[in-house]
Amino acid sequence: MNGIEFEVTGRKGLFTCPEFKVGGEKCTLQIPTYEALKGITKSIYWKPTITWVIDAVRIMNPIRMESTGIILPKMKSNKNDIAIYTYLKDCRYQVKAHFIFNKNRPEYKNDWNETKHQEIAERMIAKGGRQDIFLGTRECQGYVKPCKFGEGKGFYDDFSELPFGLMYHGMTYPDEAYSKETRRCVTMRMWQPIMRNGIIEFAKPKDCILTKRICDMQPKKFELKEEH
C-alpha cells in the first residue's frame, strides 16, 4: 500500500561519497547511492511524519562517464584553477521505494495516515515532484515520471551479477536513528552492492556492514501549529 515506483532521468549525474571529496576534483560513483535516491524521493514528497526507504534501483542505460573541466577560485588567492569533474552520462533509472512512519517523532502520531501519504506521493510523481530533482548534485538536473518497476528493456537485463565492492550507502541523521548508537549523532554507512540483471536491491540502513560516527547532532525541531 505504501510503495511507489518512478523513473528518473537526466543528461548527467554525479554521485559521490562526501567522506572522499578531496581538493577540487570530483569523480562520480558508477551507480546512484541510496542517499541520493532517497534525496530524490524526498524532493518528490516528504513530511517529518514519514521516512522513505529505497528498496531497489534498476539501471536502464549503459554506465558511461564523461569528464569536464571546471574553473574554480583558488583558496587564499585571486586566481582561478581548473578542476576535473567526472559525471555519469545519459542517466536513466527505475526506482522502487516505500515509506514508514517516523517513530522518532511521536508528536506527529496524528498524521500517521498511510492512505493520505500514499495518494499525495503518487500525485507528486505524476506532476514531476514537489521540488526540483537533482542527480547527486545541483548542476545535474533530473526529471521524474511514473513507471512500473521492471517494465521496458534495460541494458543490463541479461548481465547476470556485477559486484561494485565497498561503496557509500548514506547518512543516518538523529531524527531517523534506528539504534542507541545512532541517536544524537550523524553516522555514515557503507555496504557492498551487487547488480543482478540490472537491478540493485538496497540493504536497509540498519543492515549496512560498516558504519562510522561523523559528528554529534541534535534532531531538528519543528514547531507544531495549533489549529483554531
Side-chain angles (χ1 to χ4, degrees), residues 27 31 79 170:
C27 182
I31 56 174
K79 297 181 180 180

Side-chain angles (χ1 to χ4, degrees), residues 103-185:
K103 300 300 177 63
N104 291 298
R105 294 192 179 277
E107 66 270 26
Y108 294 107
K109 189 173 183 178
N110 291 336
D111 196 34
W112 291 358
N113 186 323
E114 186 173 331
T115 302
K116 166 191 168 182
H117 296 296
Q118 174 72 26
E119 292 178 351
I120 295 176
E122 291 176 352
R123 290 200 303 268
M124 291 302 102
I125 293 173
K127 291 179 177 293
R130 177 169 281 181
Q131 299 177 342
D132 290 339
I133 306 298
F134 304 110
L135 295 178
T137 187
R138 181 166 289 272
E139 69 263 28
C140 301
Q141 184 72 44
Y143 306 91
V144 299
K145 65 179 183 180
C147 79
K148 185 170 179 60
F149 191 88
E151 278 193 349
K153 179 65 176 176
F155 185 81
Y156 297 99
D157 286 354
D158 303 313
F159 207 78
S160 188
E161 279 194 5
L162 179 60
F164 291 93
L166 189 66
M167 188 173 288
Y168 173 69
H169 186 275
M171 293 286 191
T172 299
Y173 294 95
D175 59 341
E176 295 183 354
Y178 55 82
S179 66
K180 182 179 179 180
E181 291 74 23
T182 55
R183 293 174 185 169
R184 294 183 292 277
C185 67

